[in-house]
Amino acid sequence: ILAGHFSSSVNCIAWHPNANYVLTAADDKTARMWDIQTGKCVRLLNGAGAGLNGVKVCPTGRYAAASDYGGTVHIWDLGSGRKVNELRHTVGGGGGGTAAAAVQSMSYSACGTALATGGDDCTVRIWDVRGAGSHLSNPEYAKSQGYGESSALSASLPSESQLARRPIGERFRYGAREPVNMFRTRRTVLLDLHYTKRNLLLGCGKVVGKGG
């Protein structure tokens, strides 16, 4: 028995790739990583502003992503337990948009470079998470943590000339605030997503509304 959440509702559980740990997410706004041999919580992942309804671990086991009821996906470095980023799509785009609908499902691609999310707005979003471990990959989150554009840390972002010297597959700027792709369904709330080993994305859900 793994006990420690301050909520009666534990909404999701996921295995760590090394099979020595499991992660849980709950309504107490935290995710936790547990050692299955000792039953102890070895990482407390906090910083979410709403209850968490899903959790996934990237294929390398380095990062965990958890979704909340407000439509935000939070990313933590499991080595340190620190929250390192947020993925939050806004309706209308830009800083003046309204919050997105709740995320009900997530899946990391087999190669670990993409995270698919789906939810109440009947839309699948694909996020580039190759730079998700960097505070600077999300300008809004970086600013909220005290890293302004004038920060010395901004120098760590690649310039155009540096990008040009990289292998073709690595010529990217670390994560945009918005997803790199979106796929809308007609009336299906996405309740589960799953990437295959060949990076094909499968989804299923609940049809809502009247037929037409």
Side-chain angles (χ1 to χ4, degrees):
I1 297 177
L2 306 176
H5 280 287
F6 296 102
S7 168
S8 60
S9 296
V10 177
N11 300 314
C12 190
I13 188 168
W15 281 101
H16 189 280
N18 70 12
N20 292 319
Y21 306 98
V22 295
L23 282 86
T24 56
D27 282 351
D28 63 1
K29 305 179 184 180
T30 71
R32 296 167 189 255
M33 186 166 74
W34 308 84
D35 185 321
I36 63 171
Q37 299 297 326
T38 65
K40 293 182 178 180
C41 176
V42 295
R43 289 288 184 272
L44 172 61
L45 309 176
N46 52 27
L52 300 175
N53 61 345
V55 64
K56 295 291 182 181
V57 184
C58 74
T60 65
R62 181 174 180 181
Y63 299 108
S67 56
D68 70 24
Y69 294 116
T72 299
V73 175
H74 310 266
I75 298 179
W76 290 273
D77 185 324
L78 293 179
S80 64
R82 292 180 59 196
K83 181 178 172 181
V84 294
N85 219 319
E86 290 180 352
L87 306 175
R88 182 173 60 249
H89 172 73
T90 53
V91 178
T98 58
V103 174
Q104 301 290 354
S105 54
M106 299 183 293
S107 181
Y108 274 101
S109 62
C111 59
T113 62
L115 178 69
T117 63
D120 289 351
D121 60 358
C122 304
T123 302
V124 176
R125 292 180 172 84
I126 310 297
W127 303 84
D128 184 343
V129 291
R130 287 175 291 186
S134 169
H135 286 284
L136 295 176
S137 66
N138 182 331
E140 281 191 352
Y141 185 69
K143 186 176 181 180
S144 73
Q145 300 301 305
Y147 301 127
E149 293 182 358
S150 61
S151 169
L153 289 176
S154 298
S156 65
L157 291 175
S159 65
E160 293 292 344
S161 61
Q162 289 173 325
L163 288 173
R165 292 194 295 269
R166 289 183 175 182
I168 292 177
E170 298 180 10
R171 294 177 184 177
F172 60 91
R173 285 190 180 278
Y174 287 146
R177 283 184 303 143
E178 296 297 316
V180 296
N181 214 335
M182 294 193 299
F183 304 95
R184 301 186 187 279
T185 68
R186 290 186 178 181
R187 293 178 288 111
T188 304
V189 173
L190 282 305
L191 298 179
D192 195 19
L193 292 171
H194 179 73
Y195 267 108
T196 70
K197 292 183 178 180
R198 295 186 178 183
N199 281 337
L200 299 176
L201 182 62
L202 307 176
C204 65
K206 177 178 65 175
V207 176
V208 297
K210 297 181 180 180

